[in-house]
Amino acid sequence: MNRKKITFVFNAPVILCFVIACFGVLLLNQFTGGATNPRFFMTYHSSLSNLMTYVRFFTHVLGHSGWEHFIANMVYILLLGPMLEEKYGSWTILEVILATALATGLINYFFFPKVALLGASGICFAFIILSSLTSFKKGEIPITFILVAAMFIGQQVLDGLFASDNISQMAHIVGGSIGALFGFLLNKH
């Protein structure tokens, strides 16, 4: 008998650590009765003299409002993230995550002062657009990119204009834009 041994592989360290961190933050927030998200994992218009304001520009992507919000974001991240991390490397994916967190945090802080922001949906949109550009070559624009951008970003613009929900279309649009920027920069050679 020739049996193959099955092993588990930590195949995408940045993505897996990010998902584990988000899971831990969700559990912590539930354990504290919702006290940790506003304090550490949600960005909003707080004093610039408060050090936590700057920390939350990055950490808001770890917080989620509940299981449904968490699962919706993690499905996209776990589906697209490992492929992107394999193609571009762990450091680049970490840069995409940090750039998206900072950009959405700053834009929310300065342009939407009455809105609190948490969750990784901006990162999901960055990954969606970045994945549509994985076959980008200089002088060519993949039709899949145009279709994905039109459908995902177009829907967010429409929702931003006409929907009144607790979903941050701004984070989706900014995340998608960062994914496009990284996609063009990483694949221009």
Side-chain angles (χ1 to χ4, degrees), residues 39-61 98 101-103 105-106 109-110:
R39 188 169 203 159
F40 303 108
F41 306 107
M42 181 185 292
T43 186
Y44 46 86
H45 201 79
S46 56
S47 173
L48 289 174
S49 64
N50 180 349
L51 178 63
M52 285 308 298
T53 298
Y54 302 97
V55 172
R56 287 188 296 259
F57 286 151
F58 293 97
T59 61
H60 70 94
V61 297
L98 293 174
L102 181 61
L106 288 172
Y109 183 88
F110 288 111

Side-chain angles (χ1 to χ4, degrees), residues 123-136:
I123 294 167
C124 293
F125 274 74
F127 285 1
I128 290 166
I129 299 298
L130 181 57
S131 68
S132 72
L133 285 167
T134 55
S135 63
F136 172 74

Side-chain angles (χ1 to χ4, degrees), residues 84-147:
L84 294 170
E85 191 168 344
E86 183 178 327
K87 178 171 175 66
Y88 298 115
S90 297
W91 285 110
T92 299
I93 294 307
L94 183 59
E95 288 173 350
V96 171
I97 290 170
L98 293 174
T100 304
L102 181 61
T104 55
L106 288 172
I107 290 170
N108 187 73
Y109 183 88
F110 288 111
F111 295 104
F112 302 95
K114 297 182 192 282
V115 175
L117 179 67
L118 81 158
S121 60
I123 294 167
C124 293
F125 274 74
F127 285 1
I128 290 166
I129 299 298
L130 181 57
S131 68
S132 72
L133 285 167
T134 55
S135 63
F136 172 74
K137 295 180 182 101
K138 191 173 182 177
E140 299 176 357
I141 297 177
I143 292 174
T144 53
F145 165 73
I146 295 169
L147 293 172

Side-chain angles (χ1 to χ4, degrees), residues 10 12-25 58-64 70 73-74 77-78 85 93-94 97-98 101 119-124 127:
F10 204 73
V14 169
I15 296 303
L16 291 170
C17 287
F18 181 79
V19 170
I20 291 166
C22 290
F23 180 71
V25 166
F58 293 97
T59 61
H60 70 94
V61 297
L62 299 173
H64 289 84
F70 169 79
N73 283 335
M74 294 309 114
I77 289 171
L78 287 168
E85 191 168 344
I93 294 307
L94 183 59
I97 290 170
L98 293 174
S121 60
I123 294 167
C124 293
F127 285 1

